[in-house]
Amino acid sequence: MQLDGPTLQMISGLITILCGVSFIFNTALNRNDPPGRLWSLAFVAGIMVAVGYGVYLVSAEAWWSITFANAALVVAVGALWSGSRVYNGRSSGFAVVGGLAAVVAVISILPGADGGEWAGAGPLWVSVALMGAMGGVEALRGRMRRNVNGRIFAIVLFVVAIFYSGRAIAFFLDGVDSATFVTYFSSGTTSILNMALIITACIAASILRAERVGSNAVGDIAVGIHSAAGVLSGASFRQAATDHLQRGERAALGLAVIGADIDNLPEINTAFGRVAGDEAIARFADTLRGSAPMMSLIGHPAAGRFFILAAVGSATEAMAIAERMQNALVDGPLGESFQVRLTASFGIADTFDHGFDLTALSEAAGRAIDVVKHRGGNDIEVATESAPTLPRTAG
């Protein structure tokens, strides 16, 4: 039996509705957290896409439903990106999604009844590809990067980006009647792909949301101004560090941000369980508290990542502080039950090279950490203005 394009679209729409209702229902019954709300909005928008295109299939006179569905499709993919940003502790950026949806809606409605089912198709697919690519990149950052379901989520969004990029290119170059478009990018092909991606995204997002809601991970809970590991939470560190940097600039005092990221934390969680991962984070924080300068600030923006802001007289002094923390870390195993020695990747950014802006310092330290990670971890890297320095091996 062969299924034609309209039938496949209806089946795809039905699956979207079922997955969307399931996700929204589970979110409503559990804790209504910000990422869950945005991902629920994505599924609501997905349902609206199915309804909009379905109305046009039933009655071609309802040309306005194409505009409605096109805008909803941008919101659906964009809300997945926005929810991922919030999951990673960043601002939602939803204004970008709303702006793109508005632009697509205007372009789609301008042709009026003459636009047909392809009204605004090119700009729509470019916008969807852009949102998919941004969502995939975001899903490989922060907390989502450390979760296998986050990586699955990233794959789904990258597939969306690649497919809709190809669809837009074929549309602009050859039109919807070309052999390439009909074979690879027709409504039937798109519906089949959408069914697979919607189901996968729904499962991955549901697990991510459930783990975030039910998680007791040391790195992800704030207790007052502190994280559960006993050092400043990410928000508290930003406030205090910004004040220290402003005062340091006025006093012409050198400061350094030292970033530290636990090596192989996801593998520790997988091999020994979440309890071992929590113990690793707690021990790491305790090691930093014992080896960092007495009056330094220690922040905990993410589960395995810490930032230390310390007064230094030179880059050499910042390196010495990082070496002291690194040596203290490897002195003992993770715990009596887990004969694992922790290591970490350290990145240093100081005000001599990067100025007194906390964002610039943190990003530079983060880039230096990434350099160490690519080298295999357990090392220290100093970020410079122009480019990362050559590998430095501590101690």
Side-chain angles (χ1 to χ4, degrees):
M1 181 180 67
Q2 289 186 332
L3 299 177
D4 57 15
T7 303
L8 287 171
Q9 280 186 269
M10 295 300 291
I11 296 173
S12 175
L14 179 61
I15 290 176
T16 301
I17 292 171
L18 292 174
C19 289
V21 169
S22 173
F23 186 89
I24 296 165
F25 186 68
N26 284 325
T27 301
L29 286 181
N30 293 284
R31 179 180 164 188
N32 193 11
D33 61 322
R37 286 197 296 271
L38 284 165
W39 287 337
S40 294
L41 174 61
F43 284 103
V44 169
I47 293 172
M48 295 300 100
V49 172
V51 171
Y53 290 142
V55 168
Y56 186 80
L57 286 175
V58 173
S59 174
E61 294 180 359
W63 57 269
W64 48 266
S65 64
I66 293 294
T67 299
F68 177 78
N70 286 354
L73 181 56
V74 176
V75 172
V77 181
L80 294 178
W81 164 70
S82 184
S84 299
R85 284 177 59 89
V86 174
Y87 191 98
N88 285 334
R90 306 174 69 200
S91 62
S92 69
F94 194 76
V96 175
V97 180
L100 278 177
V103 170
V104 168
V106 170
I107 295 174
S108 300
I109 204 170
L110 284 177
D114 296 331
E117 64 176 307
W118 305 113
L124 165 67
W125 297 336
V126 170
S127 298
V128 170
L130 176 62
M131 289 285 96
M134 292 168 64
V137 171
E138 188 62 41
L140 293 178
R141 300 180 60 178
R143 291 186 61 202
M144 293 188 72
R145 180 185 62 183
R146 299 191 297 272
N147 192 309
V148 65
N149 290 287
R151 295 192 286 273
I152 292 172
F153 203 63
I155 292 171
V156 169
L157 290 168
F158 280 133
V159 170
V160 169
I162 293 169
F163 179 80
Y164 278 93
S165 293
R167 204 176 191 204
I169 292 170
F171 176 80
F172 285 124
L173 293 180
D174 302 318
V176 296
D177 296 323
S178 68
T180 300
F181 190 91
V182 171
T183 302
Y184 299 106
F185 302 109
S186 65
S187 297
T189 304
T190 304
S191 298
I192 293 172
L193 180 69
N194 285 344
M195 283 187 272
L197 295 180
I198 289 166
I199 293 171
T200 306
C202 182
I203 294 172
S206 296
I207 296 174
L208 284 167
R209 190 202 57 77
E211 288 183 351
R212 185 179 191 274
V213 170
S215 173
N216 290 319
V218 171
D220 302 323
I221 299 175
V223 180
I225 66 170
H226 293 97
S227 80
V231 296
L232 292 174
S233 67
S236 299
F237 174 79
R238 285 192 296 273
Q239 292 178 349
T242 299
D243 176 68
H244 280 222
L245 286 164
Q246 290 173 349
R247 292 159 60 194
E249 184 174 19
R250 287 197 294 265
L253 174 69
L255 294 158
V257 169
I258 303 172
D261 196 279
I262 301 174
D263 293 330
N264 304 317
L265 183 60
E267 287 76 9
I268 292 173
N269 283 326
T270 300
F272 301 104
R274 177 60 66 82
V275 172
D278 288 352
E279 185 175 341
I281 295 168
R283 178 173 174 259
F284 189 57
D286 189 60
T287 299
L288 294 180
R289 293 177 69 234
S291 57
M294 181 65 67
M295 300 306 293
S296 62
L297 298 174
I298 305 175
H300 193 182
R305 178 158 296 194
F306 295 78
F307 282 120
I308 301 95
L309 178 68
V312 295
S314 64
T316 302
E317 185 177 351
M319 173 63 78
I321 293 172
E323 289 175 345
R324 185 166 66 246
M325 292 187 289
Q326 184 186 43
N327 293 334
L329 184 63
V330 297
D331 280 346
L334 170 57
E336 294 181 0
S337 302
F338 313 103
Q339 295 301 310
V340 177
R341 292 186 182 274
L342 287 179
T343 63
S345 300
F346 292 86
I348 302 172
D350 56 52
T351 55
F352 309 111
D353 284 335
H354 300 278
F356 290 83
D357 180 71
L358 178 61
T359 300
L361 288 164
S362 300
E363 290 179 351
R367 289 193 299 271
I369 288 173
D370 291 338
V371 170
V372 176
K373 291 285 187 185
H374 281 96
R375 291 204 300 255
N378 192 26
D379 204 351
I380 304 169
E381 180 75 21
V382 177
T384 60
E385 283 185 301
S386 54
T389 60
L390 294 175
R392 298 184 183 217
T393 303

